[in-house]
């Protein structure tokens, strides 16, 4: 079992090597400049690496990029092995990152909340309070009863 610092360093190296290889070394048209490597995680035994990626484009381009990454997996693993110099090169698994979709969902929810707040603000623009301006009793006012004071 490797320590966490070593796994983190290997994950960072894998992310950099895969990104550089996708940018300059692989001529697959499905893996153009619209594929971005966002994160990499390595298991504690340094045997498996999960590479998270995003694709700029529609669903068809995402599917094509996933197929391109799957076909280039061997070349990318060889490049990682040459750069890492470890005894066993981790197997690479490519997973589409859900972060952009989650961020889009959060933005949509925030927009709905802003619209709801604006509607409430418009409705309450001409409204007045239900009671008096100052609802608290003051000492010496005529609302006080004489039986409440202790002498």
């Amino acid at each position: 079992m490797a320590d966490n610092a070593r796994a983190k360093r290997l994950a960072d190296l894998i992310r950099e090597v895969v990104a550089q290889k996708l940018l300059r070394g692989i001529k697959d048209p499905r893996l153009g400049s619209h594929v971005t490597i966002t994160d990499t995680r390595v298991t504690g035994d340094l045997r498996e690496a999960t590479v998270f990626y995003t694709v700029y484009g529609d669903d068809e381009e995402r599917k094509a990029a996933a197929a391109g990454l799957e076909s280039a997996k061997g070349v990318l693993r060889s490049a990682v092995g040459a750069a890492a110099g470890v005894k066993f090169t981790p197997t690479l698994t490519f997973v589409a990152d859900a972060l952009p979709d989650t961020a889009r969902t959060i933005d949509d929810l925030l927009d709905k909340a802003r619209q709801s707040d604006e509607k409430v603000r418009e409705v309450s623009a001409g409204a007045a309070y239900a009671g008096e301006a100052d609802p608290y009793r003051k000492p010496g006012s005529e609302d006080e009863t004489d039986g409440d004071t202790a002498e």
Side-chain angles (χ1 to χ4, degrees), residues 28-124:
D28 193 342
R30 300 174 291 187
L31 300 175
S33 61
H34 57 275
V35 175
T36 304
I37 304 300
T38 57
D39 193 20
T40 307
R41 296 186 187 148
V42 179
T43 58
D45 60 356
L46 306 179
R47 295 282 181 164
E48 298 175 13
T50 304
V51 180
F52 294 93
Y53 68 94
T54 59
V55 179
Y56 182 73
D58 57 357
D59 287 336
E60 186 176 311
E61 290 175 346
R62 288 185 187 118
K63 289 178 185 177
L69 286 171
E70 209 47 47
S71 69
K73 188 184 287 190
V75 173
L76 295 172
R77 186 174 179 213
S78 298
V80 167
V86 292
K87 186 180 205 179
F88 180 82
T89 303
T91 58
L92 301 178
T93 305
F94 293 96
V95 176
D97 199 353
L99 187 66
D101 295 332
T102 305
R104 193 172 309 115
T105 302
I106 290 172
D107 285 341
D108 291 343
L109 291 173
L110 288 173
D111 287 340
K112 286 180 184 178
R114 282 187 205 101
Q115 292 171 359
S116 175
D117 288 347
E118 186 61 35
K119 287 179 185 176
V120 169
R121 196 173 297 116
E122 289 173 2
V123 168
S124 66

